[in-house]
Amino acid sequence: MRVLLSTIGSRGDVQPLLALAVELKALGQDVRLCVPPDFREWIEGLGMPVTSIGPDLRSTAKPKAAPAAPATPISPALRRQMIEGTVAVQFETITAAAQGCDVIVGATALQVAAPSVAEAMGIPYVFAGYCPVVLPSPRHAPPVLDSLGDTPAPAMDDYSELWAADAQRWNDTWGSLINSRRTSLGLEPVSDVHRYVITDRPWLAADPALGPWPDPADGAVFQTGAWILPDETPLSSELEAFLDAGEPPVYFGFGSIRAPGNPSQAMIESARALGRRAILYRGWADLSPIDDAPDCLTIGDLNQQTLFRRVAAVVHHGGAGTTTAGARAGAPQVVIPQHYDQHYWARRVHDLGIGTAHAPGAPTTDSLTAALERTQDPEVADRARAVAATVRSDGARVAAQGLIALRSRCLR
């Protein structure tokens, strides 16, 4: 079986697909990936062919301007031009990448072309989300798109109206462009774009303990568990020396997203306020030290799975991968959500008692110190260790076996 794994997103979107690719290869399957060019060298270094799609993402993820110099809003005309370009690039690139493939797996929501490409080729298409709120349910709200002015929804008994509005936004944004392409492929138009993207049988690649599907009896959603890429990379000698030089430090990182303002100072000062040292993951937010004091170390890419077992707390943006890594390590967490599913993960960290949900936006020294102080409660540490014991590591293997079974059923 030859499988195309496709996503349009940052490392947090790409790495789970790579975990699935590794498991598929271990089971004797042929895999290729269609991902942004930022990740091509990394994946090809692991022996897997890559088709690049779209622009280099890091160049578009520069840190946000300070409040005194706000970014210029995108005009409706430019936004429409960008959407049209996205549709054209996806249909052309994924069509070429999928030649000779038997299955397409599309991960994360912006899969506007992959379902049509698979349908035109007569092969199965599987949609995978990394967080429950990517998939409609009356029990939770849609993800927050801050670029469109969304704010987190208040608590409700039924979120169906919000999902109906979300579906209409999908239709208004993408419907005519997708259907024009489908017509050129000889396919019928779609009336519900979001349902077309996620399909009637989506897969949920999230850990059942951390991000359970709210209706376990709902057979339409296949929850595989999180797709975790094993990492045996040793920590650098510099990082090892820093860890060995004192008590466990606090880790700060915003992964592959831009940070609001410049949070480095608030991060370092909050750690110092609690008598802790700080590790700053530079990332796409360009976090950096504020002085030459020896109690702070700035690092690049690293093995989170190893580091998180040796820190006092993990402060991060709330990406699905970082939240899962922190939970697996048993590290108390502070989540500072910015957009999309990060608000959900912040709430889950709070509800599980394994850390603190900080308010969205830019943290201050006082707000971050207060959030960190709560994570240092022994009860939070005990709860984090208890939850760590329940987090599964076999999600990618479950998904790989599911794809093989799907292909077998299609051949009968």
Side-chain angles (χ1 to χ4, degrees):
M1 178 176 67
R2 177 175 291 172
V3 184
L4 176 66
L5 307 179
S6 173
T7 190
I8 316 291
S10 67
R11 180 163 181 152
D13 303 308
V14 173
Q15 187 160 310
L17 275 189
L18 188 53
L20 176 57
V22 169
E23 290 290 351
L24 285 166
K25 286 193 68 174
L27 293 172
Q29 311 306 313
D30 186 15
V31 184
R32 54 189 59 190
L33 292 96
C34 186
V35 300
D38 309 65
F39 311 103
R40 180 170 194 149
E41 182 178 355
W42 172 39
I43 297 172
E44 288 184 337
L46 297 174
M48 300 180 204
V50 175
T51 298
S52 295
I53 185 166
D56 184 278
L57 291 182
R58 182 155 191 171
S59 65
T60 67
K62 296 177 182 178
K64 288 183 180 178
T72 303
I74 297 175
S75 69
L78 178 57
R79 175 176 166 74
R80 189 62 183 177
Q81 184 180 351
M82 292 168 64
I83 290 170
E84 291 172 353
T86 294
V87 172
V89 166
Q90 284 197 37
F91 270 91
E92 293 163 8
T93 306
I94 295 175
T95 296
Q99 295 307 302
C101 290
D102 303 300
V103 180
I104 298 176
V105 177
T108 69
L110 198 61
Q111 292 294 320
V112 297
S116 294
V117 173
E119 185 179 346
M121 294 177 63
I123 62 176
Y125 165 71
V126 173
F127 173 83
Y130 301 149
C131 177
V133 298
V134 174
L135 308 176
S137 169
R139 300 190 183 185
H140 57 230
V144 177
L145 297 174
D146 65 333
S147 62
L148 300 181
D150 290 357
T151 57
M156 299 180 183
D157 293 329
D158 188 333
Y159 294 91
S160 298
E161 289 188 9
L162 294 182
W163 281 106
D166 184 71
Q168 186 60 53
R169 183 162 68 183
W170 275 86
N171 286 344
D172 293 344
T173 303
W174 304 101
S176 61
L177 296 171
I178 290 173
N179 283 329
S180 175
R181 291 280 174 167
R182 286 178 63 83
T183 297
S184 69
L185 294 172
L187 303 175
E188 293 294 321
V190 295
S191 58
D192 185 340
V193 171
H194 191 230
R195 179 59 62 181
Y196 146 86
V197 168
I198 68 171
T199 77
D200 293 326
R201 174 66 167 157
W203 291 17
L204 177 55
D207 185 80
L210 295 178
W213 182 243
D215 184 0
D218 182 1
V221 174
F222 175 36
Q223 185 158 16
T224 62
W227 299 349
I228 299 170
L229 181 66
D231 192 348
E232 298 179 358
T233 307
L235 302 180
S236 69
S237 57
E238 180 186 32
L239 180 52
E240 285 282 6
F242 184 81
L243 291 167
D244 290 341
E247 293 296 314
V250 176
Y251 168 92
F252 298 92
F254 270 77
S256 300
I257 71 166
R258 56 188 186 177
N262 181 6
S264 299
Q265 182 166 348
M267 291 173 169
I268 295 169
E269 290 180 347
S270 66
R272 288 173 176 170
L274 298 177
R276 294 284 183 180
R277 299 175 301 150
I279 293 175
L280 267 61
Y281 171 62
R282 191 175 297 108
W284 290 10
D286 287 329
L287 300 181
S288 59
I290 59 175
D291 53 37
D292 296 329
D295 63 345
C296 178
L297 179 68
T298 304
I299 58 175
D301 289 342
L302 77 154
N303 182 341
Q304 287 185 341
Q305 297 170 24
T306 296
L307 176 61
F308 286 0
R309 298 190 191 101
R310 300 176 63 181
V311 298
V314 174
V315 180
H316 62 99
H317 58 299
T322 307
T323 305
T324 302
R328 287 185 73 215
Q333 303 183 48
V334 175
V335 180
I336 311 172
Q338 301 302 311
H339 62 86
Y340 204 59
D341 60 344
Q342 295 166 10
H343 300 276
Y344 171 87
W345 292 116
R347 187 170 63 252
R348 285 298 294 163
V349 164
H350 171 81
D351 291 347
L352 287 167
I354 61 175
T356 303
H358 189 284
T364 65
T365 298
D366 288 344
S367 68
L368 197 47
T369 300
L372 262 178
E373 191 168 27
R374 289 191 288 273
T375 69
Q376 301 306 288
D377 187 321
E379 291 186 6
V380 175
D382 290 345
R383 180 62 181 158
R385 285 189 291 269
V387 169
T390 70
V391 178
R392 291 169 40 189
S393 59
D394 64 344
R397 174 58 63 99
V398 170
Q401 292 171 337
L403 286 174
I404 293 171
L406 174 64
R407 173 61 175 163
S408 298
R409 290 194 298 272
C410 291
L411 292 176
R412 290 175 188 167

